[in-house]
Amino acid sequence: MRKAWTAPTAAPVVASPLLADDALIVADAGGNVHSFDARTGAERWRRSDPVEDWREHGAAFSLTPATWNGWVFVEAVSGLHVRDARSGDLIRELDHGCPTVVGDLLLVHTLSAGVRAFRLPELTPVWSRGWNGWMRVSPAVAEGKAYATLGFEEQRTHGGILAFDPVTGDEVFRRYDEDESCPLRQAGEAEDRLTFSPVHAVAGEGLVWLPRDRDHLDEGHDPGPWNALEIVGLDPRTGEDRWCHRLDPALESYEAHAVAVADGTVYFGAALCGEAASMETDADLVLHAVDIPSGATRWTRLLPGLAAAPEVSGGTVYAVTDLGEVHALDAATGNAVWTAEAGAAISHPHAFVEEPSNSYDEGGAAVVMGDRMLYVRTDAGVVALR
């Protein structure tokens, strides 16, 4: 693996780069949208809608663009821009929102103004719903259903998951945070708070996947951890739990980004805290690979942090750290295949807001796979590894 090219941007890239044919569309945090040649890194066009003091008030562009039939949808300061992918020319401007393309529909959702669906290419309204509080990421879409994670504030006001039909806007199911008996105590003695993590849902292997925190609320837990991480697979029709892998409830662990699911295995990062962290030398995070049919752990690997959810492609797991280290691991064994340096740190959108505990934003994918190329977003731009 070697560095093919580096394309600098004016501000950090916290949204996923988007491959649109032979172009790489990149929206940086300062309000610039770039189109780079995916093979050479040469800039084809740049359009700017800057926001002043974005480091103080938050990233202008934290949302990953969407594409359809030569168009690019990207949220700008003034609204949702529809641009020609080849020229960058503005075709139309819609009200603000996170763009998701499902077939010939454009879904646009905002935190407080609900969800709207538009028919493409006319961009005529099809339906709208008053669903508020979604994460500012595109929902997972599989087998005619969309699955949107509800973000939450520090007071846990919105946590959960919503499933709906993207064609009609009909709600399929909704799950909220809930209480359940604590596994550390005898039945009925104490309850835990189960909180779906504020990360995007993943559809795969016939289930819908999310990390979930098990908060130990009862004051009688002494000594004991505050939280234990669970990975759950939900029924795509009802939202009921169908699969659960719980880390040791006697240790303290938290989610580290969304999961990845491929070839009968779920991959996820677990952040260690308290006594659990002290048990692992020089590690802030453990990357887990768990066999879905048996529930057995296939392998674990220690990493110094994780910048985004792991990505799986061609039998390789790609894990990128906050410092910009790209680790390629054998998906079957967890053994290192290669390691590369992106040359810059990789930040989460929360690094640029005053109240990161209000979790409605999620960092985009740290790596995007192309044709024999791997594109890595960084705080300095994009790096292509061949």
Side-chain angles (χ1 to χ4, degrees), residues 14 198 257 307 322 346-352 356 361-364 377 379:
V14 294
H257 306 287
D322 308 79
I346 299 173
S347 294
H348 189 282
H350 290 177
F352 311 114
D361 286 276
E362 180 184 14
R377 69 171 177 89
D379 287 2

Side-chain angles (χ1 to χ4, degrees), residues 40 46 87 119 126 136 144 161 165 196 205 226 260 270 310 328 386:
T40 67
R46 180 192 301 191
S87 66
R119 182 74 59 193
V126 178
R136 284 167 42 90
I161 181 172
D165 185 324
F196 289 104
E205 303 291 329
W226 285 103
R386 190 185 304 280

Side-chain angles (χ1 to χ4, degrees), residues 128-144:
S128 64
R129 298 289 183 272
W131 296 319
N132 297 326
W134 284 17
M135 291 284 298
R136 284 167 42 90
V137 295
S138 292
V141 179
E143 297 183 359

Side-chain angles (χ1 to χ4, degrees), residues 173-193:
F173 70 79
R174 187 187 297 247
R175 284 281 305 271
Y176 289 111
D177 300 341
E178 56 196 17
D179 296 331
E180 188 178 277
S181 295
C182 177
L184 296 180
R185 305 289 295 275
Q186 294 184 6
E189 288 190 357
E191 286 190 334
D192 290 343
R193 184 65 172 170

Side-chain angles (χ1 to χ4, degrees), residues 181-331:
S181 295
C182 177
L184 296 180
R185 305 289 295 275
Q186 294 184 6
E189 288 190 357
E191 286 190 334
D192 290 343
R193 184 65 172 170
L194 303 184
T195 306
F196 289 104
S197 300
V199 296
H200 68 273
V202 173
E205 303 291 329
L207 298 173
V208 181
W209 302 85
L210 272 172
R212 186 169 66 189
D213 286 335
R214 178 177 286 273
D215 297 316
H216 302 301
L217 302 178
D218 186 76
E219 296 179 357
H221 291 208
D222 187 26
W226 285 103
N227 188 81
L229 176 65
E230 300 177 340
I231 306 298
V232 291
L234 307 178
D235 188 300
R237 297 160 299 179
T238 66
E240 297 177 357
D241 290 10
R242 290 287 179 257
W243 191 94
C244 181
H245 180 83
R246 181 185 304 144
L247 298 188
D248 187 345
L251 301 177
E252 188 170 359
S253 57
Y254 296 83
E255 60 85 11
H257 306 287
V259 309
V261 178
D263 301 323
T265 307
V266 57
Y267 303 89
F268 63 94
L272 304 176
C273 298
E275 294 183 4
S278 66
M279 296 173 62
E280 308 289 357
T281 303
D282 298 327
D284 299 318
L285 180 137
V286 179
L287 186 63
H288 296 252
V290 176
D291 181 74
I292 293 173
S294 68
T297 299
R298 288 185 171 179
W299 53 263
T300 61
R301 185 173 180 85
L302 307 180
L303 291 174
L306 196 63
E311 301 287 338
V312 186
S313 178
T316 302
V317 179
Y318 299 97
V320 183
T321 71
D322 308 79
L323 297 178
E325 299 171 345
V326 184
H327 296 266
L329 310 175
D330 185 284

Side-chain angles (χ1 to χ4, degrees), residues 23 28 35 49 84 155 216 222 274 295 306-307 365:
D28 72 30
S35 175
D49 191 6
D84 184 284
Q155 294 82 12
H216 302 301
D222 187 26
L306 196 63

Side-chain angles (χ1 to χ4, degrees), residues 66-69 71-74 80-84 89-95 99-108 116-127:
T67 184
W68 179 86
N69 198 28
W71 289 0
V72 172
F73 307 91
V74 60
L80 181 62
H81 288 182
V82 184
R83 295 191 175 276
D84 184 284
D89 293 341
L90 183 65
I91 297 172
R92 187 165 170 183
E93 186 174 312
L94 303 174
D95 289 339
T100 304
V101 173
V102 182
D104 62 351
L105 288 177
L106 170 67
L107 306 182
V108 180
R116 296 161 289 151
F118 299 89
R119 182 74 59 193
L120 295 168
E122 298 87 356
L123 289 173
T124 53
V126 178
W127 57 260

